[in-house]
Amino acid sequence: MLVQSGEDVVAIAPDGTRRRLLTGAGDAVYSPDGTLVAFSRDGDLWIANADGSGQRRLATTPRVSEWGPAWTPDGKALAYTALVDGARQIRLIPLPTGPSVRSVRWKSGSPVITPIRARRRERC
């Protein structure tokens, strides 16, 4: 299990032992197969091996804040929230990495879902 402890992400083993996994990170979540962890740091999305090694930024997105990653059930993509030009969006980024695609945007405080057939690939 992953928990937030201040500015760190801590892994708690089944026996209750705690180990700092990531520093300066939040919103951490294991991949469905347990081999990777996705997290946010400094407004960007990152990914690392399940033990915290091999940390790498998925994309550099100036003027965009990203948080709340969630794996798709097959582990082939991450859904996350992004704040783009003051508008909140739900985006999907295929892995290993690819351009993200806007799935939901907010208009007048209500979510607007973009149908898959109408989606255009949009880079942040």
Side-chain angles (χ1 to χ4, degrees):
M1 172 179 15
L2 298 174
V3 297
Q4 191 75 37
S5 178
E7 295 286 321
D8 297 335
V9 173
V10 175
I12 301 177
D15 66 3
T17 58
R18 298 168 62 98
R19 183 174 62 87
R20 185 173 52 199
L21 190 68
L22 306 164
T23 58
D27 298 328
V29 60
Y30 282 118
S31 62
D33 66 5
T35 61
L36 298 171
V37 61
F39 59 98
S40 61
R41 176 186 284 151
D42 298 327
D44 287 323
L45 291 182
W46 292 66
I47 196 167
N49 297 323
D51 65 359
S53 67
Q55 296 178 25
R56 54 219 177 263
R57 188 185 322 246
L58 287 179
T60 302
T61 51
R63 298 176 308 280
V64 175
S65 182
E66 302 161 334
W67 69 94
W71 293 90
T72 56
D74 63 7
K76 293 182 179 180
L78 282 171
Y80 63 95
T81 304
L83 190 62
V84 181
D85 296 327
R88 188 171 53 153
Q89 301 177 357
I90 303 296
R91 299 189 68 90
L92 187 69
I93 187 166
L95 297 173
T97 55
S100 68
V101 177
R102 182 178 67 196
S103 299
V104 178
R105 64 183 169 85
W106 270 253
K107 184 175 183 178
S108 301
S110 299
V112 177
I113 299 173
T114 307
I116 292 173
R117 68 184 177 284
R119 288 185 192 153
R120 293 177 300 142
R121 292 223 176 242
E122 299 178 37
R123 293 186 186 262
C124 298

PDB file of all heavy atoms in Angstrom, residues 72-103:
ATOM      1  N   THR A  72      -5.194   2.438 -16.294  1.00  0.00           N
ATOM      2  CA  THR A  72      -6.255   1.672 -16.922  1.00  0.00           C
ATOM      3  C   THR A  72      -6.091   0.227 -16.458  1.00  0.00           C
ATOM      4  O   THR A  72      -4.993  -0.182 -16.061  1.00  0.00           O
ATOM      5  CB  THR A  72      -6.181   1.747 -18.460  1.00  0.00           C
ATOM      6  OG1 THR A  72      -4.893   1.299 -18.892  1.00  0.00           O
ATOM      7  CG2 THR A  72      -6.442   3.170 -18.958  1.00  0.00           C
ATOM      8  N   PRO A  73      -7.159  -0.566 -16.464  1.00  0.00           N
ATOM      9  CA  PRO A  73      -7.063  -1.941 -15.962  1.00  0.00           C
ATOM     10  C   PRO A  73      -5.985  -2.789 -16.642  1.00  0.00           C
ATOM     11  O   PRO A  73      -5.374  -3.638 -16.000  1.00  0.00           O
ATOM     12  CB  PRO A  73      -8.457  -2.518 -16.224  1.00  0.00           C
ATOM     13  CG  PRO A  73      -9.356  -1.328 -16.191  1.00  0.00           C
ATOM     14  CD  PRO A  73      -8.540  -0.214 -16.806  1.00  0.00           C
ATOM     15  N   ASP A  74      -5.704  -2.526 -17.926  1.00  0.00           N
ATOM     16  CA  ASP A  74      -4.677  -3.307 -18.624  1.00  0.00           C
ATOM     17  C   ASP A  74      -3.272  -2.745 -18.418  1.00  0.00           C
ATOM     18  O   ASP A  74      -2.290  -3.321 -18.882  1.00  0.00           O
ATOM     19  CB  ASP A  74      -4.991  -3.413 -20.113  1.00  0.00           C
ATOM     20  CG  ASP A  74      -5.004  -2.069 -20.836  1.00  0.00           C
ATOM     21  OD1 ASP A  74      -4.636  -1.031 -20.232  1.00  0.00           O
ATOM     22  OD2 ASP A  74      -5.392  -2.057 -22.015  1.00  0.00           O
ATOM     23  N   GLY A  75      -3.146  -1.605 -17.725  1.00  0.00           N
ATOM     24  CA  GLY A  75      -1.841  -1.013 -17.440  1.00  0.00           C
ATOM     25  C   GLY A  75      -1.181  -0.356 -18.635  1.00  0.00           C
ATOM     26  O   GLY A  75      -0.008   0.003 -18.574  1.00  0.00           O
ATOM     27  N   LYS A  76      -1.913  -0.153 -19.717  1.00  0.00           N
ATOM     28  CA  LYS A  76      -1.321   0.398 -20.936  1.00  0.00           C
ATOM     29  C   LYS A  76      -1.466   1.913 -21.059  1.00  0.00           C
ATOM     30  O   LYS A  76      -0.982   2.504 -22.007  1.00  0.00           O
ATOM     31  CB  LYS A  76      -1.925  -0.275 -22.167  1.00  0.00           C
ATOM     32  CG  LYS A  76      -1.546  -1.735 -22.268  1.00  0.00           C
ATOM     33  CD  LYS A  76      -2.104  -2.363 -23.523  1.00  0.00           C
ATOM     34  CE  LYS A  76      -1.672  -3.822 -23.595  1.00  0.00           C
ATOM     35  NZ  LYS A  76      -2.202  -4.463 -24.803  1.00  0.00           N
ATOM     36  N   ALA A  77      -2.148   2.541 -20.093  1.00  0.00           N
ATOM     37  CA  ALA A  77      -2.329   3.988 -20.149  1.00  0.00           C
ATOM     38  C   ALA A  77      -2.615   4.517 -18.748  1.00  0.00           C
ATOM     39  O   ALA A  77      -2.984   3.764 -17.850  1.00  0.00           O
ATOM     40  CB  ALA A  77      -3.478   4.342 -21.093  1.00  0.00           C
ATOM     41  N   LEU A  78      -2.422   5.824 -18.598  1.00  0.00           N
ATOM     42  CA  LEU A  78      -2.736   6.525 -17.355  1.00  0.00           C
ATOM     43  C   LEU A  78      -3.771   7.598 -17.641  1.00  0.00           C
ATOM     44  O   LEU A  78      -3.626   8.377 -18.581  1.00  0.00           O
ATOM     45  CB  LEU A  78      -1.496   7.214 -16.790  1.00  0.00           C
ATOM     46  CG  LEU A  78      -0.481   6.367 -16.064  1.00  0.00           C
ATOM     47  CD1 LEU A  78       0.764   7.177 -15.785  1.00  0.00           C
ATOM     48  CD2 LEU A  78      -1.067   5.835 -14.776  1.00  0.00           C
ATOM     49  N   ALA A  79      -4.805   7.630 -16.838  1.00  0.00           N
ATOM     50  CA  ALA A  79      -5.752   8.747 -16.847  1.00  0.00           C
ATOM     51  C   ALA A  79      -5.300   9.689 -15.728  1.00  0.00           C
ATOM     52  O   ALA A  79      -4.775   9.232 -14.710  1.00  0.00           O
ATOM     53  CB  ALA A  79      -7.164   8.247 -16.594  1.00  0.00           C
ATOM     54  N   TYR A  80      -5.481  10.988 -15.919  1.00  0.00           N
ATOM     55  CA  TYR A  80      -5.074  11.949 -14.892  1.00  0.00           C
ATOM     56  C   TYR A  80      -5.828  13.252 -15.094  1.00  0.00           C
ATOM     57  O   TYR A  80      -6.474  13.463 -16.116  1.00  0.00           O
ATOM     58  CB  TYR A  80      -3.563  12.187 -14.935  1.00  0.00           C
ATOM     59  CG  TYR A  80      -3.066  12.792 -16.224  1.00  0.00           C
ATOM     60  CD1 TYR A  80      -2.884  14.160 -16.345  1.00  0.00           C
ATOM     61  CD2 TYR A  80      -2.784  11.994 -17.322  1.00  0.00           C
ATOM     62  CE1 TYR A  80      -2.430  14.723 -17.525  1.00  0.00           C
ATOM     63  CE2 TYR A  80      -2.332  12.543 -18.509  1.00  0.00           C
ATOM     64  CZ  TYR A  80      -2.156  13.904 -18.611  1.00  0.00           C
ATOM     65  OH  TYR A  80      -1.718  14.456 -19.780  1.00  0.00           O
ATOM     66  N   THR A  81      -5.747  14.111 -14.103  1.00  0.00           N
ATOM     67  CA  THR A  81      -6.359  15.430 -14.180  1.00  0.00           C
ATOM     68  C   THR A  81      -5.284  16.438 -14.562  1.00  0.00           C
ATOM     69  O   THR A  81      -4.157  16.364 -14.068  1.00  0.00           O
ATOM     70  CB  THR A  81      -6.982  15.818 -12.830  1.00  0.00           C
ATOM     71  OG1 THR A  81      -7.912  14.799 -12.454  1.00  0.00           O
ATOM     72  CG2 THR A  81      -7.699  17.149 -12.917  1.00  0.00           C
ATOM     73  N   ALA A  82      -5.646  17.367 -15.432  1.00  0.00           N
ATOM     74  CA  ALA A  82      -4.724  18.433 -15.844  1.00  0.00           C
ATOM     75  C   ALA A  82      -5.451  19.766 -15.764  1.00  0.00           C
ATOM     76  O   ALA A  82      -6.653  19.845 -16.025  1.00  0.00           O
ATOM     77  CB  ALA A  82      -4.230  18.193 -17.269  1.00  0.00           C
ATOM     78  N   LEU A  83      -4.721  20.787 -15.392  1.00  0.00           N
ATOM     79  CA  LEU A  83      -5.238  22.150 -15.405  1.00  0.00           C
ATOM     80  C   LEU A  83      -4.532  22.864 -16.548  1.00  0.00           C
ATOM     81  O   LEU A  83      -3.330  23.133 -16.479  1.00  0.00           O
ATOM     82  CB  LEU A  83      -4.972  22.838 -14.069  1.00  0.00           C
ATOM     83  CG  LEU A  83      -5.674  24.172 -13.860  1.00  0.00           C
ATOM     84  CD1 LEU A  83      -7.190  24.001 -13.898  1.00  0.00           C
ATOM     85  CD2 LEU A  83      -5.260  24.780 -12.536  1.00  0.00           C
ATOM     86  N   VAL A  84      -5.278  23.126 -17.629  1.00  0.00           N
ATOM     87  CA  VAL A  84      -4.730  23.717 -18.849  1.00  0.00           C
ATOM     88  C   VAL A  84      -5.421  25.057 -19.083  1.00  0.00           C
ATOM     89  O   VAL A  84      -6.639  25.098 -19.243  1.00  0.00           O
ATOM     90  CB  VAL A  84      -4.952  22.787 -20.067  1.00  0.00           C
ATOM     91  CG1 VAL A  84      -4.363  23.394 -21.330  1.00  0.00           C
ATOM     92  CG2 VAL A  84      -4.378  21.403 -19.807  1.00  0.00           C
ATOM     93  N   ASP A  85      -4.655  26.132 -19.072  1.00  0.00           N
ATOM     94  CA  ASP A  85      -5.218  27.480 -19.257  1.00  0.00           C
ATOM     95  C   ASP A  85      -6.400  27.733 -18.327  1.00  0.00           C
ATOM     96  O   ASP A  85      -7.425  28.286 -18.725  1.00  0.00           O
ATOM     97  CB  ASP A  85      -5.633  27.699 -20.715  1.00  0.00           C
ATOM     98  CG  ASP A  85      -4.451  27.663 -21.664  1.00  0.00           C
ATOM     99  OD1 ASP A  85      -3.349  28.089 -21.254  1.00  0.00           O
ATOM    100  OD2 ASP A  85      -4.631  27.205 -22.809  1.00  0.00           O
ATOM    101  N   GLY A  86      -6.291  27.269 -17.083  1.00  0.00           N
ATOM    102  CA  GLY A  86      -7.324  27.499 -16.089  1.00  0.00           C
ATOM    103  C   GLY A  86      -8.512  26.560 -16.174  1.00  0.00           C
ATOM    104  O   GLY A  86      -9.434  26.663 -15.376  1.00  0.00           O
ATOM    105  N   ALA A  87      -8.519  25.645 -17.132  1.00  0.00           N
ATOM    106  CA  ALA A  87      -9.632  24.704 -17.297  1.00  0.00           C
ATOM    107  C   ALA A  87      -9.183  23.299 -16.902  1.00  0.00           C
ATOM    108  O   ALA A  87      -8.136  22.827 -17.350  1.00  0.00           O
ATOM    109  CB  ALA A  87     -10.120  24.698 -18.742  1.00  0.00           C
ATOM    110  N   ARG A  88      -9.991  22.655 -16.057  1.00  0.00           N
ATOM    111  CA  ARG A  88      -9.672  21.290 -15.615  1.00  0.00           C
ATOM    112  C   ARG A  88     -10.076  20.306 -16.708  1.00  0.00           C
ATOM    113  O   ARG A  88     -11.144  20.416 -17.301  1.00  0.00           O
ATOM    114  CB  ARG A  88     -10.415  20.993 -14.323  1.00  0.00           C
ATOM    115  CG  ARG A  88     -10.016  19.705 -13.688  1.00  0.00           C
ATOM    116  CD  ARG A  88     -10.611  19.553 -12.334  1.00  0.00           C
ATOM    117  NE  ARG A  88     -12.054  19.730 -12.351  1.00  0.00           N
ATOM    118  CZ  ARG A  88     -12.876  19.183 -11.488  1.00  0.00           C
ATOM    119  NH1 ARG A  88     -12.409  18.452 -10.503  1.00  0.00           N
ATOM    120  NH2 ARG A  88     -14.163  19.387 -11.565  1.00  0.00           N
ATOM    121  N   GLN A  89      -9.192  19.327 -16.963  1.00  0.00           N
ATOM    122  CA  GLN A  89      -9.446  18.298 -17.960  1.00  0.00           C
ATOM    123  C   GLN A  89      -9.065  16.941 -17.393  1.00  0.00           C
ATOM    124  O   GLN A  89      -8.180  16.851 -16.550  1.00  0.00           O
ATOM    125  CB  GLN A  89      -8.606  18.534 -19.221  1.00  0.00           C
ATOM    126  CG  GLN A  89      -8.844  19.843 -19.906  1.00  0.00           C
ATOM    127  CD  GLN A  89      -7.925  20.040 -21.096  1.00  0.00           C
ATOM    128  OE1 GLN A  89      -7.061  19.213 -21.394  1.00  0.00           O
ATOM    129  NE2 GLN A  89      -8.105  21.149 -21.792  1.00  0.00           N
ATOM    130  N   ILE A  90      -9.720  15.901 -17.882  1.00  0.00           N
ATOM    131  CA  ILE A  90      -9.282  14.534 -17.632  1.00  0.00           C
ATOM    132  C   ILE A  90      -8.579  14.109 -18.908  1.00  0.00           C
ATOM    133  O   ILE A  90      -9.144  14.228 -20.003  1.00  0.00           O
ATOM    134  CB  ILE A  90     -10.472  13.584 -17.344  1.00  0.00           C
ATOM    135  CG1 ILE A  90     -11.293  14.084 -16.158  1.00  0.00           C
ATOM    136  CG2 ILE A  90      -9.965  12.159 -17.122  1.00  0.00           C
ATOM    137  CD1 ILE A  90     -10.560  14.109 -14.843  1.00  0.00           C
ATOM    138  N   ARG A  91      -7.345  13.647 -18.769  1.00  0.00           N
ATOM    139  CA  ARG A  91      -6.554  13.283 -19.947  1.00  0.00           C
ATOM    140  C   ARG A  91      -6.097  11.839 -19.824  1.00  0.00           C
ATOM    141  O   ARG A  91      -6.096  11.271 -18.740  1.00  0.00           O
ATOM    142  CB  ARG A  91      -5.373  14.227 -20.096  1.00  0.00           C
ATOM    143  CG  ARG A  91      -5.843  15.671 -20.291  1.00  0.00           C
ATOM    144  CD  ARG A  91      -4.731  16.605 -20.651  1.00  0.00           C
ATOM    145  NE  ARG A  91      -4.186  16.352 -21.965  1.00  0.00           N
ATOM    146  CZ  ARG A  91      -4.624  16.925 -23.088  1.00  0.00           C
ATOM    147  NH1 ARG A  91      -5.629  17.762 -23.049  1.00  0.00           N
ATOM    148  NH2 ARG A  91      -4.066  16.663 -24.233  1.00  0.00           N
ATOM    149  N   LEU A  92      -5.713  11.258 -20.942  1.00  0.00           N
ATOM    150  CA  LEU A  92      -5.250   9.880 -21.012  1.00  0.00           C
ATOM    151  C   LEU A  92      -3.943   9.871 -21.773  1.00  0.00           C
ATOM    152  O   LEU A  92      -3.855  10.443 -22.867  1.00  0.00           O
ATOM    153  CB  LEU A  92      -6.301   9.036 -21.736  1.00  0.00           C
ATOM    154  CG  LEU A  92      -6.086   7.538 -21.765  1.00  0.00           C
ATOM    155  CD1 LEU A  92      -6.268   6.954 -20.368  1.00  0.00           C
ATOM    156  CD2 LEU A  92      -7.078   6.889 -22.733  1.00  0.00           C
ATOM    157  N   ILE A  93      -2.912   9.252 -21.203  1.00  0.00           N
ATOM    158  CA  ILE A  93      -1.631   9.140 -21.887  1.00  0.00           C
ATOM    159  C   ILE A  93      -1.292   7.662 -22.043  1.00  0.00           C
ATOM    160  O   ILE A  93      -1.227   6.921 -21.065  1.00  0.00           O
ATOM    161  CB  ILE A  93      -0.509   9.917 -21.163  1.00  0.00           C
ATOM    162  CG1 ILE A  93       0.765   9.917 -21.986  1.00  0.00           C
ATOM    163  CG2 ILE A  93      -0.260   9.396 -19.773  1.00  0.00           C
ATOM    164  CD1 ILE A  93       1.802  10.916 -21.529  1.00  0.00           C
ATOM    165  N   PRO A  94      -1.128   7.216 -23.297  1.00  0.00           N
ATOM    166  CA  PRO A  94      -0.757   5.821 -23.514  1.00  0.00           C
ATOM    167  C   PRO A  94       0.697   5.599 -23.103  1.00  0.00           C
ATOM    168  O   PRO A  94       1.519   6.503 -23.179  1.00  0.00           O
ATOM    169  CB  PRO A  94      -0.949   5.609 -25.012  1.00  0.00           C
ATOM    170  CG  PRO A  94      -1.065   6.961 -25.621  1.00  0.00           C
ATOM    171  CD  PRO A  94      -1.345   7.943 -24.528  1.00  0.00           C
ATOM    172  N   LEU A  95       0.996   4.398 -22.662  1.00  0.00           N
ATOM    173  CA  LEU A  95       2.361   4.065 -22.262  1.00  0.00           C
ATOM    174  C   LEU A  95       2.918   3.021 -23.217  1.00  0.00           C
ATOM    175  O   LEU A  95       2.168   2.240 -23.767  1.00  0.00           O
ATOM    176  CB  LEU A  95       2.365   3.541 -20.829  1.00  0.00           C
ATOM    177  CG  LEU A  95       1.885   4.560 -19.798  1.00  0.00           C
ATOM    178  CD1 LEU A  95       1.746   3.911 -18.439  1.00  0.00           C
ATOM    179  CD2 LEU A  95       2.825   5.735 -19.740  1.00  0.00           C
ATOM    180  N   PRO A  96       4.242   2.990 -23.484  1.00  0.00           N
ATOM    181  CA  PRO A  96       5.245   3.596 -22.637  1.00  0.00           C
ATOM    182  C   PRO A  96       5.150   5.118 -22.594  1.00  0.00           C
ATOM    183  O   PRO A  96       5.196   5.693 -21.532  1.00  0.00           O
ATOM    184  CB  PRO A  96       6.572   3.137 -23.185  1.00  0.00           C
ATOM    185  CG  PRO A  96       6.322   2.612 -24.545  1.00  0.00           C
ATOM    186  CD  PRO A  96       4.858   2.279 -24.609  1.00  0.00           C
ATOM    187  N   THR A  97       5.026   5.839 -23.672  1.00  0.00           N
ATOM    188  CA  THR A  97       4.644   7.257 -23.627  1.00  0.00           C
ATOM    189  C   THR A  97       4.097   7.629 -24.984  1.00  0.00           C
ATOM    190  O   THR A  97       4.463   7.065 -26.007  1.00  0.00           O
ATOM    191  CB  THR A  97       5.812   8.210 -23.283  1.00  0.00           C
ATOM    192  OG1 THR A  97       6.873   7.983 -24.191  1.00  0.00           O
ATOM    193  CG2 THR A  97       6.262   8.055 -21.857  1.00  0.00           C
ATOM    194  N   GLY A  98       3.241   8.579 -24.976  1.00  0.00           N
ATOM    195  CA  GLY A  98       2.641   9.065 -26.208  1.00  0.00           C
ATOM    196  C   GLY A  98       1.972  10.382 -25.909  1.00  0.00           C
ATOM    197  O   GLY A  98       1.902  10.784 -24.760  1.00  0.00           O
ATOM    198  N   PRO A  99       1.464  11.062 -26.927  1.00  0.00           N
ATOM    199  CA  PRO A  99       0.780  12.316 -26.639  1.00  0.00           C
ATOM    200  C   PRO A  99      -0.512  12.035 -25.880  1.00  0.00           C
ATOM    201  O   PRO A  99      -1.200  11.055 -26.144  1.00  0.00           O
ATOM    202  CB  PRO A  99       0.497  12.898 -28.029  1.00  0.00           C
ATOM    203  CG  PRO A  99       0.516  11.730 -28.946  1.00  0.00           C
ATOM    204  CD  PRO A  99       1.474  10.732 -28.346  1.00  0.00           C
ATOM    205  N   SER A 100      -0.828  12.892 -24.929  1.00  0.00           N
ATOM    206  CA  SER A 100      -2.061  12.698 -24.170  1.00  0.00           C
ATOM    207  C   SER A 100      -3.255  13.135 -25.013  1.00  0.00           C
ATOM    208  O   SER A 100      -3.140  13.938 -25.928  1.00  0.00           O
ATOM    209  CB  SER A 100      -2.020  13.466 -22.853  1.00  0.00           C
ATOM    210  OG  SER A 100      -2.043  14.849 -23.096  1.00  0.00           O
ATOM    211  N   VAL A 101      -4.396  12.576 -24.683  1.00  0.00           N
ATOM    212  CA  VAL A 101      -5.638  12.872 -25.381  1.00  0.00           C
ATOM    213  C   VAL A 101      -6.644  13.381 -24.362  1.00  0.00           C
ATOM    214  O   VAL A 101      -6.850  12.737 -23.331  1.00  0.00           O
ATOM    215  CB  VAL A 101      -6.194  11.592 -26.059  1.00  0.00           C
ATOM    216  CG1 VAL A 101      -7.522  11.877 -26.735  1.00  0.00           C
ATOM    217  CG2 VAL A 101      -5.192  11.029 -27.049  1.00  0.00           C
ATOM    218  N   ARG A 102      -7.259  14.530 -24.632  1.00  0.00           N
ATOM    219  CA  ARG A 102      -8.268  15.063 -23.718  1.00  0.00           C
ATOM    220  C   ARG A 102      -9.518  14.194 -23.806  1.00  0.00           C
ATOM    221  O   ARG A 102     -10.048  13.952 -24.875  1.00  0.00           O
ATOM    222  CB  ARG A 102      -8.609  16.509 -24.064  1.00  0.00           C
ATOM    223  CG  ARG A 102      -9.633  17.092 -23.087  1.00  0.00           C
ATOM    224  CD  ARG A 102      -9.959  18.522 -23.366  1.00  0.00           C
ATOM    225  NE  ARG A 102     -10.668  18.611 -24.625  1.00  0.00           N
ATOM    226  CZ  ARG A 102     -10.831  19.740 -25.299  1.00  0.00           C
ATOM    227  NH1 ARG A 102     -10.313  20.852 -24.863  1.00  0.00           N
ATOM    228  NH2 ARG A 102     -11.491  19.739 -26.428  1.00  0.00           N
ATOM    229  N   SER A 103     -10.001  13.726 -22.663  1.00  0.00           N
ATOM    230  CA  SER A 103     -11.200  12.903 -22.605  1.00  0.00           C
ATOM    231  C   SER A 103     -12.382  13.675 -22.040  1.00  0.00           C
ATOM    232  O   SER A 103     -13.508  13.464 -22.451  1.00  0.00           O
ATOM    233  CB  SER A 103     -10.952  11.672 -21.737  1.00  0.00           C
ATOM    234  OG  SER A 103      -9.918  10.895 -22.283  1.00  0.00           O
TER     235      SER A 103
END
